[in-house]
Amino acid sequence: MTTQDERQNKLIRPSHYITMDDIIREGNPTLRGVAERVALPLSNEDILLGEKMIQFLRNSQDPVMAEKLELRAGVGLAAPQLDISKRIIALLVPSEPKFDEEGNEVPSKEDYALNTVMYNARIISHSVEEAAIATGEGCLSVDREVPGYVVRHARVTIEYYDKNSEKKKIRLKGFHSMVPQHEIDHTDGIMFYDRIDPENPWKMREGMQIID
Ligand code: NB4
Ligand code: NI
């Protein structure tokens, strides 16, 4: 028997890199539970876990590290995916690549549109308009493809606590709003395919924005 605290203490050891072996897969009941809010001000353990989650995402997007550690690429991660039933999510979304006058890509190595750990994140308001990623979604806890539009809010306002235990509010739209919605769902036991129409997965809904 291992307790959640024991699992968290292993994950946050300085020498540990989070890999796919740390990520639980569908069928594990933790993914269907509602995660607990974290205590504030944040404990060192919860701050360190957030840092490890961001490190995982950075490694997963680095071709060399991803191959070495056999990681699938990710732009978000939620603590329940590590079998830690806490409301902690990490978001790491690279900025759009920039191009000069000749159309060459300007290398911008560490440039992120979103690079945040959110504690106790909640959607405090959202648009009536819906949106979905054109290609559908994948999940690091799901080892199969589930095709279809994952219907989400087009715009959200999220309230959360940052790594300094400070309360923040952020408005997000487009792709940037899809990532935290996928992660907040994990803290509520919701999987992306719960939001796909089972009858007609690629059915276009009235006014739904398609993000590509
Ligand atoms: C979370 C996302 C699924 C849809 C859209 C996308 C990828 C995930 C899951 C919304 C949130 C992880 C967490 C990607 C990816 C684009 C940016 C930068 C360079 C490769 C990377 C690939 F990896 N989803 N994977 N899935 N999840 N875009 N990109 N690229 O991130 O299960 O709960 O490195
Ligand atoms: Ni996921």
Side-chain angles (χ1 to χ4, degrees):
M1 236 282 281
T2 67
T3 66
Q4 175 164 286
D5 284 354
E6 287 173 332
R7 289 195 298 277
Q8 185 164 347
N9 286 331
K10 282 190 181 171
L11 293 171
I12 65 179
R13 288 208 284 248
S15 59
H16 187 81
Y17 289 92
I18 294 175
T19 69
M20 300 309 293
D21 291 341
D22 296 310
I23 296 177
I24 60 170
R25 307 303 156 91
E26 41 174 357
N28 187 311
T30 300
L31 289 172
R32 286 308 195 175
V34 176
E36 289 268 349
R37 284 186 299 276
V38 297
L40 293 159
L42 295 169
S43 65
N44 284 325
E45 288 81 1
D46 288 346
I47 295 169
L48 287 170
L49 184 63
E51 288 173 356
K52 286 289 184 187
M53 290 165 70
I54 288 286
Q55 179 189 55
F56 165 83
L57 294 173
R58 200 183 311 113
N59 288 339
S60 84
Q61 294 175 17
D62 179 288
V64 175
M65 286 303 282
E67 183 173 316
K68 210 197 312 262
L69 299 173
E70 299 182 45
L71 308 180
R72 267 179 66 190
V75 290
L77 186 68
Q81 296 182 278
L82 303 168
D83 208 4
I84 305 292
S85 196
K86 295 185 177 183
R87 305 186 78 81
I88 306 174
I89 64 174
L91 316 170
L92 193 70
V93 180
S95 300
E96 297 283 319
K98 300 202 168 42
F99 298 92
D100 66 16
E101 304 76 30
E102 280 131 41
N104 302 308
E105 191 173 338
V106 180
S108 51
K109 256 195 173 158
E110 296 271 277
D111 191 7
Y112 297 104
L114 220 43
N115 178 1
T116 329
V117 182
M118 296 182 176
Y119 296 89
N120 298 342
R122 59 189 190 100
I123 296 170
I124 58 167
S125 69
H126 64 80
S127 58
V128 173
E129 197 181 4
E130 295 171 322
I133 299 173
T135 52
E137 296 187 9
C139 178
L140 298 174
S141 295
V142 179
D143 292 324
R144 61 194 171 104
E145 282 193 33
V146 187
Y149 289 133
V150 179
V151 181
R152 300 192 181 283
H153 309 304
R155 296 175 295 283
V156 292
T157 304
I158 297 172
E159 198 175 84
Y160 67 96
Y161 291 84
D162 70 6
K163 61 177 188 293
N164 302 312
S165 303
E166 282 164 15
K167 194 179 191 170
K168 300 275 157 141
K169 207 183 278 190
I170 186 175
R171 271 203 77 220
L172 296 168
K173 59 177 162 57
F175 182 73
H176 300 145
S177 88
M178 298 290 109
V179 185
Q181 288 183 75
H182 178 115
E183 306 315 331
I184 291 171
D185 271 354
H186 275 306
T187 64
D188 288 323
I190 298 166
M191 301 295 285
F192 73 93
Y193 45 77
D194 299 344
R195 301 193 182 280
I196 299 174
D197 184 337
E199 302 292 297
N200 186 353
W202 299 106
K203 185 169 78 195
M204 187 53 204
R205 290 163 63 102
E206 173 88 27
M208 183 168 68
Q209 197 184 113
I210 303 300
I211 300 162
D212 44 21

